[in-house]
Amino acid sequence: MLDLPQLTVIMPVYNVEKYIGRALEALLNQKNRNFKLLIVNDGSKDKTRQIAESYSDKFLYFKLINKANEGVAAARNVALAHVDTPYFTFHDGDDWVDPDYTDFFINSFKRYPHVSLISCGYWIDKEKQKKSRSIDPKRESGHLTKKEAYFKIANVSTSPVKGYTWNKCYRLDVVRKHNIKFMGDIAFMEDEVFNIEYVSLSDGVYFTSKPYYHYWQRPDSLIHVTSGLKYIPDNIRATYRVWHKILKSLRHEKKKIRRKMPNKITNN
């Protein structure tokens, strides 16, 4: 008999009919299939919805939400309102995962119940690239302080963590307690802003650079489409929000440490 699922995989999709089948087949091939799959179809105009619907009876727990197109931030927020498992992660519709992907997140939270965020490494895949390339072949891992987590999320140095949501797993209670949502007024980097806010309001980050997720880099993806000059203001706003939150949080942490320090004893 299966235990109640601990994990929800959130998949916002928009016009990914070429790729969503690959993504869903990989999820069907998970070693641990006791998870919920929540797909939010953000007003796709191709056959994305029909392909997703064809998989509805192949998963143990499957839910498809169809909505008008409002962008990935709105789609993720809709999904968050429907999550009812202790943990959740995100999965883009054009990517795919290794068989140990869900098992890694579920077991990591069992192994480290005191942490609020789990992050894994990822593969980079391209159409003309024959083999998947690991983001960090060194295979580092460990617990991170808030400062270390901020710098790895903001990619101050080469990082296997970065600001993505699809290589991370979150606690629902943290999101519910602080009402954390994705900002819809910026075209990109909304995931990095979300991650920085999440870390600032929680405690404990564990990461490994061992890859479980395949990041498919295609020329028509959002990150390439939004790289023109007209998106520079969004980039500036997002970068400001990230670093404003980081600096504010680090000042707060510094004050907490000072309050915990014992008063100095002086001898007369």
Side-chain angles (χ1 to χ4, degrees), residues 79-99:
L80 286 178
H82 287 82
V83 174
D84 59 2
T85 56
Y87 315 116
F88 65 91
T89 185
F90 294 93
H91 187 315
D92 285 357
D94 53 353
D95 299 332
W96 72 97
V97 294
D98 288 341

Side-chain angles (χ1 to χ4, degrees), residues 89 105 117-119 161-162 164-170 195:
T89 185
F105 286 136
L117 180 68
I118 302 288
S119 180
V161 179
K162 293 193 177 180
Y164 306 120
T165 54
W166 38 248
N167 65 327
K168 297 173 182 64
C169 196
Y170 310 83
N195 282 320

Side-chain angles (χ1 to χ4, degrees), residues 64-83:
L64 173 64
I65 298 174
N66 294 296
K67 61 181 291 297
N69 179 251
E70 295 178 284
V72 66
R76 287 171 176 161
N77 287 334
V78 167
L80 286 178
H82 287 82
V83 174

Side-chain angles (χ1 to χ4, degrees), residues 19 22 94-96 123-129 213-221:
Y19 312 104
R22 176 178 65 186
D94 53 353
D95 299 332
W96 72 97
W123 304 98
I124 293 179
D125 293 270
K126 299 179 181 179
E127 188 172 348
K128 296 182 180 180
Q129 181 178 291
Y213 189 96
H214 288 261
Y215 174 28
W216 180 247
Q217 293 189 339
R218 54 191 176 97
D220 60 338
S221 64

Side-chain angles (χ1 to χ4, degrees), residues 141-206:
S141 64
H143 294 271
L144 299 173
T145 64
K146 283 196 177 189
K147 183 177 181 180
E148 291 169 337
Y150 290 147
F151 284 10
K152 284 189 177 294
I153 290 171
N155 199 34
V156 172
S157 58
T158 302
S159 167
V161 179
K162 293 193 177 180
Y164 306 120
T165 54
W166 38 248
N167 65 327
K168 297 173 182 64
C169 196
Y170 310 83
R171 298 180 66 103
L172 182 65
D173 57 350
V174 173
V175 171
R176 291 285 189 265
K177 179 180 179 180
H178 300 286
N179 193 31
I180 307 173
K181 294 182 179 180
F182 289 88
M183 294 183 175
D185 63 336
I186 48 180
F188 59 108
M189 280 181 70
E190 77 289 335
D191 46 0
E192 187 169 321
V193 175
F194 178 91
N195 282 320
I196 294 297
E197 183 177 12
Y198 182 92
V199 170
S200 74
L201 296 169
S202 60
D203 291 298
V205 176
Y206 175 81

Side-chain angles (χ1 to χ4, degrees), residues 11 13 38-44 46-53 62-70 75 78 82:
M11 185 182 292
V13 293
L38 174 56
I39 301 176
V40 179
N41 174 36
D42 190 35
S44 295
D46 61 2
K47 295 181 180 179
T48 296
R49 174 177 178 173
Q50 293 91 320
I51 296 171
E53 288 174 341
F62 178 96
K63 184 169 186 173
L64 173 64
I65 298 174
N66 294 296
K67 61 181 291 297
N69 179 251
E70 295 178 284
V78 167
H82 287 82

